[in-house]
Amino acid sequence: MDMDILSLATCFLLIIFSKISNAVNMISPSDSLADGMKLVSNDGSFEMGFFTPGSSKNRYLGIWYGNIPMQSRTVVWVANRINPINDSTGLLKIETTGRVVLQGQNRTAVWSSTNSSTQGVGNPILQLLDSGNLVVRDANDGDHSENYLWQSFDYPTDTQLPGMKMGWDLRINLSRRLAAWKNPDDPSPGDLTYGIELQGNPELVIRQGSVKRYRSGLWNGDGFGGAPIYRSNQVFTYDFVWNEDEVYYIYFLKDKSVMSRVFLNQTKGVKERYTWKPNTQNWTLFTVHPDDSCDIYGPCGANGNCDTSKFPFCQCLKTFKPKSPERWNSSDWSQGCIHNKPLNCQGGDGFIRLQSVKTPDTPNSLVNKSMDLKECRARCLQNCSCMAYTTLNITGRGSGCAMWFGDLMDIKQYESNVQELYIRVSASESEELKSKHKMKHALIISTLLAVPLGLLVVVYYIRRSRGNLKDEDHNEDLELEVFELGTISRATDGFSSNNKLGQGDKTRCKVLDWAKRFQIICGIARGLLYLHQDSRLRIIHRDLKAGNVLLDSKMNPKISDFGLARTFGGDQTEANTNRVVGTYGYMAPEYAIDGLFSVKSDVFSFGILLLEIISATKNRGFSHPDHRGNLIEHAWRLWKKGKPLEVADNFLVDTGNESEILRCIHISLLCVQQHPEERPTMSLVVLMLGSENELPPPKQPGFLLQNSTPFEIDSSSGNHGLSSSKNEVTLSLLEPR
Ligand SMILES: *[C@@H]1O[C@H](CO)[C@@H](O)[C@H](O)[C@H]1NC(C)=O
Ligand SMILES: *[C@@H]1O[C@H](CO)[C@@H](O)[C@H](O)[C@H]1NC(C)=O
Ligand SMILES: *[C@@H]1O[C@H](CO)[C@@H](O)[C@H](O)[C@H]1NC(C)=O
Ligand SMILES: *[C@@H]1O[C@H](CO)[C@@H](O)[C@H](O)[C@H]1NC(C)=O
Ligand SMILES: *[C@@H]1O[C@H](CO)[C@@H](O)[C@H](O)[C@H]1NC(C)=O
Ligand SMILES: *[C@@H]1O[C@H](CO)[C@@H](O)[C@H](O)[C@H]1NC(C)=O
Ligand SMILES: *[C@@H]1O[C@H](CO)[C@@H](O)[C@H](O)[C@H]1NC(C)=O
Ligand SMILES: *[C@@H]1O[C@H](CO)[C@@H](O)[C@H](O)[C@H]1NC(C)=O
Ligand SMILES: *[C@@H]1O[C@H](CO)[C@@H](O)[C@H](O)[C@H]1NC(C)=O
Ligand SMILES: *[C@@H]1O[C@H](CO)[C@@H](O)[C@H](O)[C@H]1NC(C)=O
C-alpha cells in the first residue's frame, strides 16, 4: 500500500516535471533548443521556436505571440532572417561566454548574438521575457535584474513591441531600426526601413531604399508634429527620449491585456499598428503611416504646403508662389515654390506664423534646447539662410529652439495641431506687422513723440527698403513699419550716430518732416470733426491719444481705439467707445475730476496731441530742467516769453514752415484751455488749420495734470458714469461697422 502511494507520487512528479520542461522560458549553456522545441515566456504571452513562414520551406528561429491561435501566428522577431535553415537540424545554444548561437546543418552557425559585452559572465542564461524580449543575463544577478548582456529588443526585425526602444544608444553607436520582411514568405530584409535619423532634429523616418517616404516631424515635447492625433489615444502612451546617451521613441500599452504592435509592411510600403480583437480573433488596423497623400514625403516640392482639405492638395506656403507656374498648373509640384518678395537679409526680414503644421525637413536644421523663442528668432534672423524656426518643446511655457536652413521641405497642413512654425519672409510680407497693424501704426506716432531718433531710424529704414523695390511696390512697402526695435537696430547699425538727424543720407528726413506732420495733424482734426459732427451719431472719443491714432500706408491718420484689433480701410473713420477709457496726460480737467465729457474734452485731448506732434515729446512724463510743469505748461511759458517756436522739435525749425508751426502751437493752446467753453469746436479747429485768419489769443491753459502720476485709468470700472455737460453732449456708443 505504502509502495503504491509512493510510486503514484513519483509518477505524478514526473508528469509535472515533463510539463515544466516542455514550457521553459530559459536555457543555460548546458541546454539547447532544437527544432520542435520552444521557449514560452512566464505568462505565456510569447513563445520562441522554429517556424516556416507562408509557403516557404525554410526554417527560422522566431518569437511569436503565445496567446494567438496557431493559424494566425504572428511572428514579431526572427533570428536568422537572412540565413534560413532548410531542414530541421536547427539548434539554439548559449555558450558559457554568454554568446548565443544558432546552428544549422553540420553545426555551422547561421546566426549568433554579438559577443562584445559578454566577457566575464558568471552564469549566463538565455530567457524569453513576457515582453517578448529575448535576453541574455547573468543568473547570479537574480530574476529581476535588467542588466542584460544582450537583448533581442536591440536588434528588431520588422516589429516594434511595447517597451522596445526605437532609436539610438549613442554610447555604443547602436541604432535600433525596423526593416520589413521582403514578403510574407521571406523574412529577409526588404527595402522598407523605419528608424530615427539624427541629422538636425532627430525624427522617425520611413525610407524605401534610400528614398524618404514618411517623417514623423519634430518631437515638440508633447507629440510628433506629423502625427498629431496620436497623443490622446486609448491604447498606448508614448515618449521620445533625447539626451546625450540616447535618442529613442518608445510606447507602452495603457491596458496590459491589450495586444498591439507596430510593424512594417513591405507590400504596402507603410508602417501599421494593429491591435488584437479577442472577439473576432484577428488583428485590426489601428493607425497607418503614411496615411494620406500629404504624409508621403515632400509631394509639393520645396516650400510647398500639403493640405488634404484643398484641391489640389499642393499649395505654396503663405507668401510664396510657384517657381514654375506652368508646371505647377499641370500638377507637377516638383519645382516647388519661391518667395513672392525676395528676402532682404541686410534690411531685416520678418516672420509669419503658420499654425497646425508638420515641421519641415531639411538637410540642415539646428536645435538648441536652451534658447527661448525670442533668442531663436533673433538667431534665425542673423543668418541669411535660416528660413524658419519654432519652439522645440511646447510643454510648460515653451523652451528650446529649432531652426531650418535653406528650402523648407515636406510641410503638411493639419486642421488642428498645436505645432506652430515661423517662416522667414520679406519685411513687407511680415505678419508680425499686419496682425498688429494698428499697434504698429500707432507706434509710429508714439515713436515720433517719444523717440525722435527712433523715428528717424524708421524713416531711414522705410526709405532704404523702398530703394530696393519697384515702383508698384511702394504703397505696400510703406507698410513695413514692422519695426521691432531689434529690426530697426539691425537695419541701422544699432542706432549708430551715422543715422542721426542732419548727418549722411539727408532726404530721409523728408518722410516725416513738417509737411507730413501737418498732414497728420489735419487728418486727425478732420477725423475728430467727423466723429463729432459728420457721422450718423455724434461720437465723443474720450480717449484720443497718440496711441489711438493709426497711420495708413499713405500716412493718413485714422482714429481708433487702441485695443481694437481691426484694420481700417479707405477713408473710413470709426471709433469704438464701448470701453470708457481715459488716459492721464490727455484728459481734460473737467473729465478727469468730474467725469464730465463732451466734444470739448476731445478737443482738449486733440490739443495735447497737437502739441506732442509738434514737439515730438510726450505730455505725460514730460520733464524740463527749469520747472516742474508738464508740456502744456512748458508751451505756455514759452508763449508768454514770446518764444513759442522753442517748443517745437528742433529739426522742424529749419525744415518746416515757421508760420504754420506757430499757428499749430497757437491752436493747441486754444484747445487746452481750462474751461470747455473757451476751447474751439473741431469744426473751428479745422477752419483755423486751413486758413490764415487771425486767431484769438490763448488764456492760461488747464495745468491740472502737471504733477499727476503717469498711469492709465479705465474708468469703466469707476463711477464716473455717463454724465453730461451742456447741450452739445451726446453719448458715444457706436457699434463697429
Ligand atoms: C540546404 O542548404 C544547404 C546548405 O545551405 C545546401 O547545400 C542544400 O542544397 C540545401 N538543400 C535543399 C534541399 O535546398
Ligand atoms: C556536412 O558534413 C558532411 C560530413 O562531414 C559533409 O559530407 C557535408 O558536405 C557537409 N555539408 C555541408 C553543407 O557542409
Ligand atoms: C566574438 O567571439 C569570437 C570568438 O571569441 C571572436 O572571434 C569574434 O571576434 C567576436 N566578435 C565580436 C564582434 O566581438
Ligand atoms: C556608427 O555605426 C555606423 C554604422 O552603423 C558607422 O557607419 C559609423 O561610423 C559608426 N560611428 C561611430 C562613431 O562608431
Ligand atoms: C502586407 O499587406 C498586404 C496587403 O494587405 C498583405 O497581403 C500582406 O500579408 C501584408 N504583409 C504582412 C507581412 O503582413
Ligand atoms: C476580422 O474578423 C472579422 C470577422 O471574422 C472580419 O469581418 C474582419 O474583416 C476581420 N478583419 C481583418 C483585418 O481581417
Ligand atoms: C494656370 O491655370 C489657370 C486656371 O486654370 C489659368 O488661368 C492660368 O493662365 C494658368 N497659368 C499658367 C502659367 O499656365
Ligand atoms: C545654445 O544657445 C545658448 C544660448 O544662446 C548658447 O550659449 C549655446 O552655446 C548654444 N548651444 C549650442 C550647441 O549651440
Ligand atoms: C548659417 O547657418 C548655416 C547652417 O548652420 C551655417 O552653415 C552658416 O555658416 C551660417 N551662416 C552664418 C553667416 O552664420
Ligand atoms: C519640456 O519642457 C517641460 C516643461 O519645462 C519639461 O518638463 C520637459 O522635460 C521638457 N521635455 C523635453 C523633451 O525637453
Side-chain angles (χ1 to χ4, degrees):
M1 193 51 118
D2 282 348
M3 282 299 277
D4 283 344
I5 291 172
L6 186 62
S7 56
L8 199 66
T10 309
C11 184
F12 184 64
L13 278 174
L14 279 173
I15 290 165
I16 290 178
F17 181 75
S18 71
K19 248 205 134 105
I20 288 171
S21 62
N22 255 346
V24 291
N25 68 12
M26 66 172 81
I27 59 172
S28 65
S30 57
D31 309 316
S32 59
L33 190 78
D35 196 335
M37 296 165 70
K38 61 183 180 186
L39 294 186
V40 178
S41 76
N42 217 26
D43 68 1
S45 299
F46 288 94
E47 298 181 354
M48 182 173 82
F50 292 85
F51 73 100
T52 297
S55 56
S56 165
K57 299 216 161 56
N58 288 324
R59 300 295 283 170
Y60 295 89
L61 178 73
I63 297 173
W64 55 83
Y65 284 94
N67 300 329
I68 288 177
M70 258 318 159
Q71 66 269 18
S72 35
R73 176 163 61 195
T74 307
V75 175
V76 297
W77 185 77
V78 182
N80 56 324
R81 66 187 301 195
I82 54 169
N83 224 353
I85 303 168
N86 59 14
D87 57 20
S88 57
T89 57
L91 193 69
L92 183 70
K93 287 178 155 180
I94 177 166
E95 296 174 344
T96 52
T97 59
R99 179 174 178 249
V100 184
V101 186
L102 176 60
Q103 297 172 336
Q105 276 169 347
N106 284 6
R107 300 270 175 268
T108 55
V110 297
W111 174 86
S112 72
S113 67
T114 50
N115 54 349
S116 50
S117 63
T118 55
Q119 267 91 31
V121 186
N123 188 7
I125 54 167
L126 177 69
Q127 185 173 25
L128 180 62
L129 305 180
D130 290 334
S131 59
N133 196 5
L134 180 70
V135 302
V136 174
R137 63 180 181 86
D138 192 337
N140 299 340
D141 285 350
D143 278 356
H144 299 293
S145 164
E146 291 190 2
N147 179 22
Y148 304 137
L149 305 168
W150 179 89
Q151 55 179 325
S152 63
F153 271 18
D154 280 345
Y155 305 92
T157 52
D158 70 337
T159 302
Q160 185 188 12
L161 290 174
M164 188 187 239
K165 294 172 178 177
M166 286 294 302
W168 292 79
D169 187 330
L170 301 169
R171 294 163 297 196
I172 57 170
N173 192 30
L174 171 75
S175 172
R176 306 176 200 88
R177 46 195 295 115
L178 306 184
W181 286 27
K182 250 191 184 127
N183 57 57
D185 299 339
D186 183 359
S188 66
D191 70 353
L192 192 71
T193 59
Y194 170 60
I196 287 183
E197 299 193 358
L198 295 176
Q199 241 180 4
N201 316 308
E203 290 188 357
L204 289 160
V205 176
I206 297 175
R207 282 182 186 264
Q208 187 114 42
S210 61
V211 178
K212 275 188 192 176
R213 189 159 162 75
Y214 168 80
R215 298 181 313 115
S216 63
L218 184 72
W219 175 262
N220 60 24
D222 184 56
F224 290 103
I229 53 159
Y230 261 35
R231 208 52 191 164
S232 54
N233 76 84
Q234 299 299 305
V235 176
F236 63 98
T237 61
Y238 63 102
D239 202 2
F240 185 79
V241 172
W242 176 18
N243 55 42
E244 282 177 3
D245 295 337
E246 296 185 283
V247 186
Y248 63 84
Y249 163 74
I250 195 167
Y251 74 89
F252 297 98
L253 296 174
K254 287 183 174 168
D255 177 350
K256 294 269 183 338
S257 70
V258 170
M259 286 189 278
S260 173
R261 70 196 160 100
V262 170
F263 95 109
L264 291 184
N265 186 318
Q266 176 75 39
T267 320
K268 291 195 247 175
V270 296
K271 167 177 69 86
E272 295 174 320
R273 175 185 287 276
Y274 282 95
T275 53
W276 180 257
K277 281 268 139 63
N279 50 344
T280 58
Q281 290 284 293
N282 61 11
W283 291 102
T284 309
L285 187 63
F286 191 73
T287 55
V288 59
H289 285 115
D291 192 17
D292 59 41
S293 325
C294 288
D295 266 348
I296 304 212
Y297 184 82
C300 303
N303 308 310
N305 188 6
C306 198
D307 186 344
T308 52
S309 73
K310 297 259 169 64
F311 182 81
F313 55 77
C314 277
Q315 306 282 319
C316 281
L317 284 171
K318 206 156 146 192
T319 73
F320 284 74
K321 63 186 179 194
K323 186 173 182 190
S324 162
E326 294 80 16
R327 292 211 195 178
W328 192 265
N329 249 15
S330 60
S331 303
D332 171 1
W333 327 112
S334 60
Q335 302 287 301
C337 308
I338 53 173
H339 278 102
N340 283 332
K341 299 200 171 169
L343 297 180
N344 175 13
C345 188
Q346 304 309 318
D349 298 318
F351 292 91
I352 58 166
R353 186 177 63 168
L354 303 181
Q355 283 175 298
S356 306
V357 290
K358 174 178 175 175
T359 51
D361 187 26
T362 58
N364 299 309
S365 60
L366 279 183
V367 291
N368 184 323
K369 293 185 186 177
S370 58
M371 277 191 224
D372 64 20
L373 195 64
K374 232 175 156 176
E375 292 173 289
C376 194
R377 182 188 189 281
R379 185 68 63 89
C380 186
L381 213 48
Q382 275 169 19
N383 185 322
C384 296
S385 55
C386 180
M387 291 300 154
Y389 72 92
T390 195
T391 312
L392 192 56
N393 181 354
I394 59 160
T395 59
R397 282 161 54 218
S399 62
C401 167
M403 286 177 277
W404 286 266
F405 301 87
D407 282 338
L408 303 173
M409 286 298 298
D410 194 38
I411 295 178
K412 177 179 176 180
Q413 185 67 54
Y414 288 94
E415 228 168 273
S416 68
N417 168 356
V418 287
Q419 189 67 58
E420 295 182 339
L421 182 72
Y422 298 84
I423 60 173
R424 191 187 199 113
V425 296
S426 85
S428 57
E429 301 253 33
S430 168
E431 215 171 44
E432 285 159 320
L433 233 198
K434 290 186 176 163
S435 70
K436 293 176 194 161
H437 197 66
K438 284 183 45 166
M439 286 182 57
K440 300 292 177 180
H441 283 95
L443 192 60
I444 290 194
I445 286 261
S446 300
T447 307
L448 159 68
L449 302 176
V451 197
L453 176 61
L455 170 75
L456 287 176
V457 167
V458 170
V459 169
Y460 166 80
Y461 176 48
I462 291 170
R463 291 194 60 79
R464 212 179 127 128
S465 303
R466 284 179 65 158
N468 296 334
L469 290 161
K470 297 195 210 95
D471 274 342
E472 62 261 33
D473 289 324
H474 275 191
N475 284 345
E476 273 170 270
D477 189 45
L478 267 177
E479 285 185 1
L480 54 75
E481 300 96 339
V482 185
F483 36 88
E484 291 202 15
L485 218 53
T487 313
I488 298 170
S489 159
R490 256 188 312 282
T492 58
D493 306 330
F495 296 109
S496 75
S497 55
N498 295 339
N499 298 314
K500 270 196 195 143
L501 174 67
Q503 294 175 14
D505 191 14
K506 253 188 171 158
T507 48
R508 68 184 175 216
C509 302
K510 284 183 184 163
V511 175
L512 272 171
D513 59 10
W514 174 250
K516 268 284 185 286
R517 292 194 204 192
F518 189 66
Q519 181 196 333
I520 291 168
I521 290 166
C522 293
I524 296 170
R526 280 193 302 270
L528 205 52
L529 172 62
Y530 175 83
L531 296 183
H532 286 179
Q533 185 174 302
D534 298 343
S535 62
R536 197 162 47 80
L537 300 164
R538 175 173 291 186
I539 298 154
I540 296 166
H541 190 285
R542 283 190 292 166
D543 195 19
L544 184 68
K545 57 179 170 181
N548 281 344
V549 176
L550 311 181
L551 296 180
D552 72 8
S553 56
K554 293 179 180 125
M555 295 281 167
N556 294 316
K558 315 282 176 185
I559 298 168
S560 90
D561 209 348
F562 191 79
L564 185 67
R566 273 189 49 172
T567 316
F568 295 112
D571 296 326
Q572 189 181 18
T573 306
E574 289 184 5
N576 180 346
T577 52
N578 281 324
R579 285 189 318 137
V580 186
V581 177
T583 305
Y584 273 142
Y586 291 92
M587 285 161 86
E590 75 280 6
Y591 183 31
I593 295 169
D594 298 319
L596 297 177
F597 63 91
S598 65
V599 287
K600 292 295 184 68
S601 50
D602 275 358
V603 169
F604 187 96
S605 303
F606 173 80
I608 302 281
L609 189 54
L610 186 48
L611 212 44
E612 289 183 335
I613 293 172
I614 295 164
S615 63
T617 312
K618 273 182 175 288
N619 187 41
R620 203 179 87 177
F622 172 85
S623 74
H624 192 276
D626 299 340
H627 59 82
R628 297 188 52 202
N630 61 14
L631 181 60
I632 310 174
E633 183 172 349
H634 180 57
W636 177 245
R637 280 169 189 261
L638 291 170
W639 181 269
K640 295 285 277 182
K641 279 199 223 167
K643 304 175 189 169
L645 274 173
E646 274 185 31
V647 81
D649 184 355
N650 287 339
F651 105 82
L652 295 179
V653 179
D654 347 320
T655 62
N657 177 333
E658 269 189 41
S659 67
E660 216 168 53
I661 296 173
L662 189 60
R663 192 170 181 84
C664 284
I665 294 170
H666 194 155
I667 295 170
S668 73
L669 288 172
L670 293 174
C671 290
V672 297
Q673 293 294 294
Q674 172 79 32
H675 299 292
E677 58 274 15
E678 283 166 0
R679 301 172 205 151
T681 60
M682 282 318 292
S683 57
L684 194 51
V685 168
V686 169
L687 218 64
M688 289 169 167
L689 284 168
S691 75
E692 286 175 13
N693 295 343
E694 203 167 310
L695 303 174
K699 295 183 191 161
Q700 171 164 318
F703 293 147
L704 173 88
L705 305 166
Q706 67 182 53
N707 287 323
S708 60
T709 347
F711 72 101
E712 301 198 2
I713 58 161
D714 180 346
S715 56
S716 62
S717 54
N719 54 5
H720 284 174
L722 303 171
S723 334
S724 56
S725 89
K726 307 217 162 180
N727 305 336
E728 55 200 16
V729 171
T730 313
L731 170 58
S732 59
L733 274 178
L734 178 78
E735 294 300 320
R737 280 177 282 191

